[in-house]
Amino acid sequence: MCCGTVQNSYNTVAGMKIILADGTILDTRDISGKKAFRESHSKLLSDIEKLAKSAKENTSLTDKIRKKYKMKNTTGYSLNALIDFSDPFDIIEHLMIGSEGTLGFIADISFRTVVEQPSKASSLMIFPDIESACKAVAFLKAAPVSAVELIDRAGLRSVEEEKGIPGFLKLLERDVCALLVETVAGNKIEIDRNIEIIKDSLKSVPAVKDIQFTDIPAEYELLWKIRKGLFPSVGAMRKTGTTVIIEDIAFPVESLAEATLDLQYILRKFRYDEAVIFGHALEGNLHFVFNQDFNAREEIDRYACLMSEVAELVVHKYNGSLKAEHGTGRNMAPFVEMEWGKDAYNLMKEIKHFFDPLNILNPGVILNHDKQVHLKNLKPIPAASEVIDKCTECGFCEPSCVSAGMTLSPRQRIVIHRELVSLKKSGHEPHIAASLAESFNYSGDETCATDGLCAIGCPVKIDTGKLIKSMRSEKVASRKRTAMWIANHMNLVTFVAGKTLSIIGFFHLILGTGILNGISGSLRKISGNRVPLWNQYMPVGAGKIKPESEIHSSNVRKVVYFPSCINRSMGKSREYNEEMQLSEKIVQLLHKGGFEVIYPESLNNLCCGLAFSSKGYTEAGRKKSDELEAALLKTSRNGEFPVLCDMSPCLFTMKESMKSNLKLYEPVEFITERLLPYLTITPVDEVITVFPVCSMKKMELDEKLAVLAGICAKKVIVPDSNCCGFAGDRGFTYPELNKYGLANVKGQFKSDVKNGYSTSRTCEIGLSLHTGISYKSIVYLVDRVSSPREKGRFKAV
């Protein structure tokens, strides 16, 4: 159970499947299964019923439980289950919530959901001090707000340099405190009414800035980015080798101001000067984040003193919760009895014994007799690589990773790499290090798409793909001369690749898809998966580009077109029918807009370097990038003419590598900004789909792709997906990654979707294979619906 959802899960759980310590599976949604469980586990159910009855009859204990759960509380087990319910199955469900695997394993769970209101608005309110902010919270409790988040000055300071963060944050005084407030409603009229009520309720509270709300999604999402990025942003500022820690407590709301000031005093007392405080103010729930060095005894002692004083403050001065929504874990286990008292603590021990008499499920978590356990077995975060040393292991990267759930997520790659580095340095247990390194080769390296999407979700912009590329570079050291030879003979390589594809295409035509699929699968199996896997969407080889036919110097509109080496090798797929290859289609479209197409010199030997750098051949990649930049500078007259590349991944690589004043474009951006004014668009009356590849997302062009497609077609579907997993050529060499990445995409389309569009040739092959929809470059769509117009802005007909 995710620790942050404990309280909400308790209130909304509607059934679950549990695996108990003895291996028995209990599904509380299955009536016949519950009946069988009553027969097989009658003693457990009887013990639970007796325990609940005893708790209800103990008036002082019941009063204490009810009082503790008036505020957020997840310290220990959910004792409120014993007094809230009588049915033992209901009690079991609610005891499981927040039990951290100590009572059983939740295999799956059902929740009662609530409707998400369509209209939202948020405001970042700045108050002169914590006391004023907490006074505002008291008024907001009666106002139509859905969330009120408190952020202290240190928290604001930790994110003020982030992209898009309001500049006024840097100018705020030392003691200010912010409240991030959200209101929701069914429509804009109701939202506006809510905003007026909220503002009116705060008239008596002094604010540093006038209170302003925004209902523009991009603006309020940026405000919430401040809140969500606090924990990892603090961690990113820590000294390498130290650990970032987040604690989670709750105070009575009426004492929140005084308690927050006391907490700040304790943090300063023990020299945690970088610590930030933020939290859910309406519930009196605060998080505080700080950096901790566990490498020296005096630092561990300092931490012990901090935790001791915090526990005293929360429990004895304010009668609060040591855990409000996070799990108790081992760190707070020594303090559970302090908060709950002996009777309640003994009740928790009985619960643990009923479910896990042999103490085999997560022993020592939540309940632990060792009062120093929070100072033992401390997890180090050793220096491993400059690329990842600032990682706090927060997990914000995981939803963006195509291999998460199949092999490893970015966070898991970092954790394992740190362990490998640590084992190597210590020389401890070399057999474990060797085994871990061997398994990491596939799970960590070979199935990493190195697409960089993890950096988008990461608050400190760590690109785990760069770590994997550096590891690949070490592994391929002995083959770097071969890579350099290939780099020096790209014209030969693309020629051979094209001819090979044409030969395979000929056999596809003669033998058919089924037979060729069988041959390809057999060859791959016999070779131990070393032979790439063919599929029916593989293209034939591309025809040769003839640059000399494209020179008309009198034309005012000029563009330097760099066809990627992929598109100089790959021509049309079988389902393209009578269409021309992409390099010809782009020229045809550019001519419609009145552009003269210029090619760089030595075109057939040019490459952006991505094919080399992604595999760890850094020097070869750099060489090709430098050659291409020099050629483009010469052809574009030192940046006078724009440069168009036909693949988004290649263009992204060029933008990252080239520091000159070249005006670099991929298809969507060039068409939108430079070509549409010279075209008349007649949209097609059909439903299409577009897939923004990873590089488009990193360049923030995914929305532009959808908009351009919307100009060209009646309806556009953008599937909910991350990376497609093709990752250059990995769709051929590790096709399981591509299959996994697109597993949920096909189900998002109805049968009326026949055509899909994107901006990466290899990704389009994988998309076609796993959706059954023919994917081509967006260039084909624009060319299909456009005609030339002499002047003025474009218009849709």
Side-chain angles (χ1 to χ4, degrees):
M1 181 59 58
C2 175
C3 58
T5 63
V6 170
Q7 188 176 49
N8 287 337
S9 300
Y10 182 93
N11 293 328
T12 60
V13 62
M16 63 177 68
K17 182 187 288 185
I18 309 160
I19 303 174
L20 298 177
D22 63 1
T24 302
I25 297 176
L26 166 64
D27 192 334
T28 61
R29 299 158 297 192
D30 180 0
I31 295 174
S32 60
K34 285 163 69 173
K35 183 178 179 181
F37 190 84
R38 279 190 182 277
E39 296 174 0
S40 62
H41 288 71
S42 57
K43 185 177 186 311
L44 173 61
L45 297 176
S46 174
D47 287 341
I48 290 170
E49 288 176 319
K50 288 176 184 176
L51 199 65
K53 183 180 179 184
S54 172
K56 290 183 178 79
E57 291 173 350
N58 187 333
T59 308
S60 62
L61 179 61
T62 300
D63 289 346
K64 181 167 190 170
I65 292 172
R66 293 198 186 283
K67 187 175 182 180
K68 293 293 289 183
Y69 285 107
K70 279 185 178 179
M71 71 181 82
K72 279 188 170 183
N73 192 309
T74 57
T75 310
Y77 292 123
S78 302
L79 294 183
N80 47 340
L82 299 175
I83 62 173
D84 288 345
F85 304 97
S86 297
D87 184 286
F89 292 106
D90 289 335
I91 296 172
I92 288 173
E93 278 183 350
H94 292 81
L95 283 173
M96 285 290 162
I97 302 294
S99 63
E100 302 177 64
T102 61
L103 305 180
F105 173 75
I106 300 175
D108 67 63
I109 190 167
S110 299
F111 292 112
R112 291 183 293 274
T113 58
V114 295
V115 175
E116 183 175 7
Q117 296 283 14
S119 297
K120 299 178 182 178
S122 294
S123 173
L124 185 65
M125 304 176 182
I126 309 295
F127 297 94
D129 49 45
I130 284 176
E131 190 172 359
S132 300
C134 291
K135 183 179 178 182
V137 171
F139 289 114
L140 289 170
K141 281 187 75 69
V145 296
S146 56
V148 178
E149 299 291 300
L150 181 146
I151 308 172
D152 74 351
R153 182 66 184 99
L156 295 172
R157 190 179 300 112
S158 72
V159 295
E160 63 187 21
E161 298 293 340
E162 292 292 318
K163 181 183 177 183
I165 299 299
F168 70 82
L169 292 186
K170 297 179 183 180
L171 308 175
L172 296 174
E173 297 294 329
R174 185 185 66 179
D175 295 325
V176 300
C177 184
L179 293 179
L180 179 55
V181 178
E182 181 185 68
T183 181
V184 299
N187 54 60
K188 182 166 173 42
I189 294 173
E190 291 176 13
I191 279 287
D192 291 340
R193 187 185 305 127
N194 286 355
I195 291 171
E196 290 307 311
I197 294 171
I198 294 167
K199 286 183 175 181
D200 189 61
S201 71
L202 297 177
K203 281 182 178 178
S204 62
V205 184
V208 172
K209 290 175 61 68
D210 290 341
I211 293 173
Q212 299 292 331
F213 278 82
T214 177
D215 60 358
I216 300 171
E219 293 181 1
Y220 65 64
E221 284 169 7
L222 183 60
L223 294 178
W224 283 96
K225 182 182 176 183
I226 295 175
R227 164 64 179 84
K228 292 174 182 177
L230 288 172
F231 166 55
S233 295
V234 174
M237 294 187 292
R238 76 190 190 282
K239 180 183 174 184
T240 300
T242 61
T243 300
V244 61
I245 293 176
I246 182 168
E247 283 300 342
D248 157 62
I249 54 181
F251 299 107
V253 176
E254 60 272 16
S255 304
L256 185 59
E258 183 186 355
T260 306
L261 291 170
D262 284 346
L263 179 59
Q264 284 184 327
Y265 170 77
I266 291 174
L267 290 167
R268 286 196 301 268
K269 176 181 176 180
F270 293 106
R271 307 185 313 283
Y272 290 96
D273 301 317
E274 81 295 341
V276 306
I277 298 173
F278 59 94
H280 317 301
L282 287 178
E283 292 84 22
N285 175 200
L286 297 180
H287 305 290
F288 58 100
V289 184
F290 56 95
N291 296 325
Q292 178 64 48
D293 187 351
F294 285 128
N295 297 311
R297 184 70 249 176
E298 60 270 21
E299 286 296 306
I300 296 174
D301 291 341
R302 179 170 72 114
Y303 174 70
C305 292
L306 171 72
M307 294 304 295
S308 179
E309 289 213 18
V310 167
E312 287 288 331
L313 176 75
V314 173
V315 174
H316 293 141
K317 183 170 182 179
Y318 291 104
N319 194 23
S321 306
L322 286 169
K323 282 295 177 183
E325 60 182 10
H326 293 185
T328 303
R330 286 188 175 85
N331 206 40
M332 278 299 174
F335 305 101
V336 174
E337 187 172 4
M338 173 194 285
E339 177 177 333
W340 277 100
K342 188 173 182 179
D343 289 347
Y345 190 70
N346 286 337
L347 205 59
M348 292 182 189
K349 290 200 290 187
E350 285 190 75
I351 291 169
K352 171 67 173 174
H353 180 72
F354 289 163
F355 284 91
D356 184 21
L358 300 179
N359 195 31
I360 59 174
L361 296 179
N362 223 359
V365 171
I366 297 182
L367 305 180
N368 200 309
H369 67 276
D370 185 352
K371 300 304 179 186
Q372 301 294 308
V373 70
H374 62 306
L375 307 176
K376 298 176 180 178
N377 302 311
L378 299 167
K379 178 184 176 181
I381 299 188
S385 165
E386 288 186 6
V387 176
I388 58 158
D389 280 343
K390 293 300 181 185
C391 175
T392 63
E393 301 175 15
C394 67
F396 283 21
C397 55
E398 294 187 328
S400 302
C401 178
V402 65
S403 66
M406 175 187 152
T407 50
L408 296 176
S409 69
R411 171 166 63 172
Q412 291 167 330
R413 286 184 171 90
I414 289 172
V415 169
I416 294 173
H417 180 67
R418 282 172 167 165
E419 182 64 13
L420 284 168
V421 170
S422 182
L423 288 170
K424 186 176 180 179
K425 285 180 179 177
S426 68
H428 182 60
E429 297 181 315
H431 61 291
I432 293 179
S435 174
L436 190 60
E438 184 180 355
S439 61
F440 187 81
N441 188 51
Y442 176 77
S443 299
D445 177 0
E446 292 167 351
T447 55
C448 178
T450 64
D451 55 37
L453 290 186
C454 46
I456 295 177
C458 175
V460 292
K461 308 306 174 196
I462 293 171
D463 181 353
T464 314
K466 290 182 178 178
L467 169 70
I468 300 302
K469 288 176 185 177
S470 69
M471 295 173 70
R472 288 175 184 171
S473 185
E474 294 174 10
K475 288 166 64 176
V476 300
S478 62
R479 301 194 294 273
K480 288 185 178 180
R481 288 182 64 184
T482 304
M484 195 61 78
W485 186 91
I486 293 172
N488 289 329
H489 297 83
M490 282 300 295
N491 51 351
L492 176 62
V493 172
T494 54
F495 173 79
V496 171
K499 291 301 179 186
T500 303
L501 287 171
S502 292
I503 291 168
I504 295 172
F506 172 76
F507 281 107
H508 184 199
L509 186 64
I510 300 300
L511 300 176
T513 299
I515 293 176
L516 204 56
N517 264 330
I519 294 172
S520 173
S522 299
L523 287 174
R524 181 167 172 80
K525 187 175 181 180
I526 292 168
S527 69
N529 291 338
R530 283 185 284 273
V531 173
L533 186 65
W534 175 89
N535 69 67
Q536 66 265 37
Y537 294 97
M538 285 273 280
V540 296
K544 188 175 181 180
I545 297 170
K546 300 174 182 177
E548 62 275 9
S549 64
E550 295 300 328
I551 298 177
H552 308 285
S553 57
S554 59
N555 198 318
V556 237
R557 293 198 292 272
K558 293 180 172 64
V559 59
V560 177
Y561 171 36
F562 168 59
S564 63
C565 55
I566 288 289
N567 284 315
R568 298 200 309 270
S569 303
M570 292 184 170
K572 302 183 296 178
S573 291
R574 193 173 182 179
E575 82 282 3
Y576 278 35
N577 299 319
E578 300 302 316
E579 283 283 13
M580 60 182 68
Q581 67 185 39
L582 179 60
S583 59
E584 295 170 345
K585 180 62 70 173
I586 283 185
V587 171
Q588 177 174 291
L589 180 61
L590 290 169
H591 284 171
K592 276 187 189 179
F595 278 86
E596 176 187 347
V597 179
I598 312 170
Y599 293 88
E601 291 181 7
S602 304
L603 171 63
N604 290 324
N605 203 41
L606 296 178
C607 170
C608 70
L610 176 61
F612 298 94
S613 60
S614 64
K615 293 178 173 59
Y617 299 107
T618 311
E619 294 84 357
R622 180 74 261 170
K623 173 183 170 61
K624 298 311 293 180
S625 176
D626 290 345
E627 288 177 357
L628 177 60
E629 184 173 18
L632 293 176
L633 281 169
K634 181 179 179 181
T635 310
S636 69
R637 294 184 184 173
N638 215 26
E640 179 184 344
F641 308 139
V643 175
L644 170 64
C645 177
D646 52 24
M647 291 237 318
S648 293
C650 299
L651 194 279
F652 178 78
T653 300
M654 291 160 65
K655 281 191 170 183
E656 274 207 321
S657 306
M658 300 176 183
K659 306 305 177 188
S660 54
N661 60 341
L662 288 168
K663 302 182 187 78
L664 301 171
Y665 292 87
E666 53 76 66
V668 169
E669 197 171 18
F670 186 86
I671 291 169
T672 302
E673 294 184 10
R674 289 181 173 261
L675 195 55
L676 281 182
Y678 306 104
L679 300 175
T680 295
I681 303 295
T682 306
V684 291
D685 185 21
E686 64 181 66
V687 182
I688 65 167
T689 180
V690 293
F691 191 94
V693 295
C694 306
S695 49
M696 292 202 79
K697 294 176 181 177
K698 290 188 286 186
M699 292 186 288
E700 300 180 348
L701 294 176
D702 42 337
E703 286 292 332
K704 283 191 175 183
L705 173 64
V707 169
L708 177 59
I711 292 170
C712 299
K714 177 183 74 173
K715 183 180 178 182
V716 179
I717 298 173
V718 183
D720 181 15
S721 180
N722 292 317
C723 169
C724 71
F726 211 92
D729 62 359
R730 266 173 161 65
F732 303 126
T733 53
Y734 300 96
E736 63 272 26
L737 182 63
N738 182 224
K739 182 179 180 181
Y740 183 81
L742 296 175
N744 298 319
V745 171
K746 187 175 182 179
Q748 299 179 46
F749 304 132
K750 293 181 180 178
S751 57
D752 58 344
V753 180
K754 304 297 182 186
N755 292 298
Y757 300 94
S758 191
T759 55
S760 171
R761 186 68 183 93
T762 50
C763 296
E764 289 153 17
I765 294 170
L767 285 160
S768 299
L769 176 64
H770 293 293
T771 64
I773 295 169
S774 174
Y775 274 82
K776 304 180 185 71
S777 169
I778 189 70
V779 171
Y780 286 93
L781 175 64
V782 178
D783 182 69
R784 178 184 169 193
V785 302
S786 64
S787 57
R789 64 191 318 258
E790 283 303 314
K791 50 188 175 180
R793 300 297 295 172
F794 82 95
K795 63 179 181 179
V797 178

